[in-house]
Amino acid sequence: MARVLIIGAASDIAQALSHKYAGKGYGLVLALRNTDRLLPLKNDLEIRYGSEVELMDFDAAAGETHQQWVNSIPDLPEITICVMGYLGDHEKAQTDPDEVNRIIVSNYLGAISILDRIAEEYEKKQNGIIIGISSVAGERGRQSNYYYGSAKAGFTAYLSGLRNRLYRSKVHVLTVKPGFVNTSMTAGMDLPPLLTSQPDQVAGKIFKAAKKRKNTIYTGNKWRYIMFIIRNIPETVFKKLKL
Amino acid sequence: MSKGPSVYYNWGKYPKIEGKELIPSFPDDIIGYLSGQLQLIARGNGRSYGDASLASIMVSLKKMNHILSFNPERSVITCQSGILLSDLLKFIVPKGFFPMVTPGTKYISLGGAIAADIHGKNHHKEGSISRYIESMDILTANGQKITCSKTENSPLFWATCGGMGLTGIILNASIQLKKIESAKIRTETIHSKSLKELFERFEKNMDITYTVSWIDCLTAKNDYLRSLFFGGEHATESDLEGIKNRNRYEEPRMKNVPVDFPSFALNKYSVKAFNSFYFASNRQKPAIKDIDPFFYPLDSVLNWNRIYGKKGFIQYQFVLPKATGYEGMLKIIRHIKEAQAGSFLTVLKLFGNPGVTGPLSFPMEGYTLAIDFKMDKQVHDLIAKLNDTVADYGGRIYLAKDAVMDQALFEKTYPRKDEFLQICREYDPDNLFVSRLSQRLGLKK
């Protein structure tokens, strides 16, 4: 059975991806803290799709354990999806270095640490797909979430560089930039319905894009054009906006 | 972009309230909400018609929708309460199973189905859903998870079946399923010309598993009342000679009502026209149908509730006991005909003896009628008249559909409410679980 490793498996997008891949006949290795939380999902996927689901404890922040952690996976799945992310409290972060750290580790440092280890293995095998969930927030820093935005900007650049390095080894890297998605991360926010995707829609797009070996996708498509505009607003204008 | 309270409403779009919906990702998250001393109610898919799952704070179980275990030998499945029946059907039908009881829509949550003690077209033969719940886990006000069944913590079990979420939050339940030989239904359709004829039809056909009728109140005159009686059975192998794909669960193509219709769209003329068309197009002959058109005819029209316009509608469903059912039903149909209240969805079913039930459970042995009324100025007077008749004849109103019943009528028609309150006092002494429904009925404030 072909398998997928999902890192940060507790999130809504990750759970939707689990359903999608399990439904397509893949086995799953789900990595998260507090694995008990996903026992109902594991049961569901095994019963519904006959999938084989393994839950593994994973600590994004403990970079020094990541090599050992990867080694401990007996049959490393061919596809790795990194769904790690933490929106954080932007206002709090402005005065609290610990909150800044959490945002940066969860969205950037922790993500690249584990993906580096996976990349090495895939490079050796000359085979694999790495999917990184970044965000449109990384396209331009704005006043309401630039810690999250800058971390995601870093992650996007990392994925781009990784894609470049791994091309020679026939390993593909897909960058996913979701716009607004209806998840627990955005639960407190008033999102415009026409621009907001559902987790299962995002998962469907990712599945298709990975199969087609796309480089970068936006979910939904509209965001590609929205971000084009956002990116090209002159800074003299942008700095006056309240986005 | 922070979110304030939003407007919430259920399927009838009346009433509409301002409230906040919390959507926990995992069951453990729910416990945190209970210590806040803020009153709340659990919410499934919002398919009750009135204000049953409306409150200032609602806890949505929609992410708690997993299948936990499945035992095909015993025909038992255990699921979290947020799972929708539509989702469950996709899994169990291809495997040769069907719920013992299904209501007229598949877009309800398992928790909602239990909280309303739902019935279907087979109540006369197979009862309501509570009969088939093996056990369930309830999260009570003090954060404790209690397993209850007919033999364990049974007062809590019975109070929760039909208890409209007021005893606690249903986390998961194990339910018994029935085995089916195919995904098709063998149906027959019979026209009748009077209520007497229709009642006889029901009584004579009690051995048919699924029976339901659609009646046309608007053209009723003296003794004349036209109706369509539908009978159905799960089609067996022998019924299906030559029929292909007999085990494939066919889902119909969805149509959508994209916007609210203007309020004049649904009136006695358009309804009469619809009724004539509907009556004519349902010929009297046996047929093989798919599951959805037989059990969930309206589900294929997404947002069909928009047909009633922005102001929404009242769905009025009551039951009358067998002894007085015929007389009472005649009187009610007369009231409706006089008011020329526009409703094309008028469904009449037979209920059997339910046996042991929860204190707030709706079905009783007799006849039940469900009818939609557009929300307008006259509807309250009409409902007051109908309520008087229902109460006079010893019947009651279905809480899962009710939006307007007052405390006096509720207390008159639900004699076991004190028994229910006693159990609430034990498991929810501080009235944590409260809804607009419970406040309106003076049940829990």
Side-chain angles (χ1 to χ4, degrees), chain B residues 316 318 320 328-341 373 377-393 397 404-406 409 412:
Chain B
Y316 189 76
F318 62 91
L320 294 176
M329 201 65 79
L330 271 181
K331 205 165 183 189
I332 285 178
I333 291 171
R334 207 162 289 144
H335 287 316
I336 294 170
K337 163 72 196 276
E338 273 160 18
Q340 288 281 288
F373 297 122
K377 283 174 283 185
Q378 298 98 291
V379 83
H380 290 285
D381 287 333
L382 174 61
I383 289 186
K385 246 195 221 132
L386 300 180
N387 281 345
D388 286 340
T389 312
V390 169
D392 287 342
Y393 284 85
I397 306 289
V404 297
M405 177 167 50
D406 64 21
L409 182 67
K412 192 171 176 189

Side-chain angles (χ1 to χ4, degrees), chain A residues 182 184 187, chain B residues 21-25 33 58-63:
Chain A
N182 188 8
S184 44
Chain B
E21 193 181 20
L22 305 167
I23 313 177
S25 293
Y33 302 143
M58 297 159 281
V59 177
S60 169
L61 275 291
K62 62 163 77 125
K63 287 188 181 169

Side-chain angles (χ1 to χ4, degrees), chain B residues 197-208 350:
Chain B
E197 214 184 306
L198 181 61
F199 270 42
E200 277 166 12
R201 194 78 55 201
F202 273 106
E203 299 291 338
K204 283 204 186 94
N205 288 299
M206 293 212 17
D207 55 321
I208 300 182
L350 173 68

Side-chain angles (χ1 to χ4, degrees), chain A:
Chain A
M1 196 188 262
R3 298 200 305 165
V4 179
L5 167 64
I6 301 181
I7 303 174
S11 79
D12 289 330
I13 291 178
Q15 292 197 39
L17 282 163
S18 299
H19 269 284
K20 187 75 197 178
Y21 276 92
K24 294 283 184 183
Y26 286 77
L28 301 171
V29 179
L30 303 180
L32 70 160
R33 289 170 302 156
N34 306 328
T35 51
D36 279 354
R37 292 182 292 166
L38 283 196
L39 281 170
L41 177 69
K42 175 178 146 84
N43 285 339
D44 184 290
L45 297 174
E46 287 174 344
I47 292 168
R48 239 187 249 268
Y49 307 114
S51 178
E52 278 162 27
V53 179
E54 208 185 314
L55 300 177
M56 287 187 71
D57 251 296
F58 175 72
D59 184 358
E64 68 284 359
T65 65
H66 289 175
Q67 182 63 68
Q68 195 184 0
W69 188 84
V70 172
N71 293 343
S72 75
I73 306 174
D75 187 14
L76 188 67
E78 285 173 10
I79 302 176
T80 296
I81 313 181
C82 177
V83 200
M84 282 168 49
Y86 171 63
L87 188 58
D89 180 340
H90 183 80
E91 254 187 64
K92 183 177 178 196
Q94 283 174 323
T95 53
D96 180 0
D98 285 334
E99 182 69 355
V100 175
N101 198 54
R102 271 189 287 275
I103 295 173
I104 307 239
V105 168
S106 185
N107 293 298
Y108 181 67
L109 287 174
I112 71 173
S113 166
I114 187 65
L115 287 183
D116 273 346
R117 308 284 80 78
I118 301 281
E120 276 163 15
E121 296 302 312
Y122 285 359
E123 202 167 37
K124 277 186 234 159
K125 293 182 180 158
Q126 300 266 306
N127 183 39
I129 303 177
I130 292 176
I131 303 172
I133 314 293
S134 185
S135 169
V136 295
E139 308 265 290
R140 191 162 192 174
R142 53 195 174 93
Q143 56 118 34
S144 63
N145 73 353
Y146 50 83
Y147 297 103
Y148 178 77
S150 60
K152 286 299 192 188
F155 190 50
T156 299
Y158 166 83
L159 291 169
S160 170
L162 194 66
R163 180 161 42 244
N164 193 195
R165 161 188 164 194
L166 294 178
Y167 181 73
R168 279 158 267 284
S169 309
K170 301 196 184 75
V171 177
H172 182 65
V173 178
L174 165 64
T175 305
V176 181
K177 292 179 188 172
F180 293 141
V181 189
N182 188 8
T183 66
S184 44
M185 184 188 263
T186 57
M189 294 162 65
D190 214 352
L191 302 179
L194 287 176
L195 292 177
T196 306
S197 301
Q198 301 304 322
D200 60 316
Q201 289 171 314
V202 173
K205 289 207 87 178
I206 293 173
F207 180 83
K208 278 200 192 125
K211 267 211 140 33
K212 289 190 188 155
R213 295 289 210 268
K214 293 231 165 118
N215 296 320
T216 299
I217 59 163
Y218 290 80
T219 68
N221 273 333
K222 287 191 196 83
W223 284 94
R224 187 179 287 270
Y225 307 104
I226 296 172
M227 294 324 292
F228 178 81
I229 295 170
I230 301 267
R231 273 199 310 272
N232 288 290
I233 297 174
E235 190 69 359
T236 42
V237 174
F238 196 84
K239 68 183 182 185
K240 296 177 191 155
L241 298 176
K242 237 193 175 252
L243 284 177

Side-chain angles (χ1 to χ4, degrees), chain B residues 29-83:
Chain B
D29 299 339
I30 306 177
I31 299 178
Y33 302 143
L34 302 182
S35 53
Q37 286 158 342
L38 289 169
Q39 294 181 319
L40 48 83
I41 196 80
R43 186 174 173 75
N45 204 32
R47 282 304 183 105
S48 63
Y49 284 74
D51 51 6
S53 55
L54 294 179
S56 310
I57 300 178
M58 297 159 281
V59 177
S60 169
L61 275 291
K62 62 163 77 125
K63 287 188 181 169
M64 249 122 281
N65 62 355
H66 300 106
I67 299 173
L68 300 176
S69 72
F70 177 51
N71 187 331
E73 286 82 44
R74 290 188 57 237
S75 304
V76 173
I77 194 165
T78 304
C79 304
Q80 290 181 316
S81 60
I83 195 169

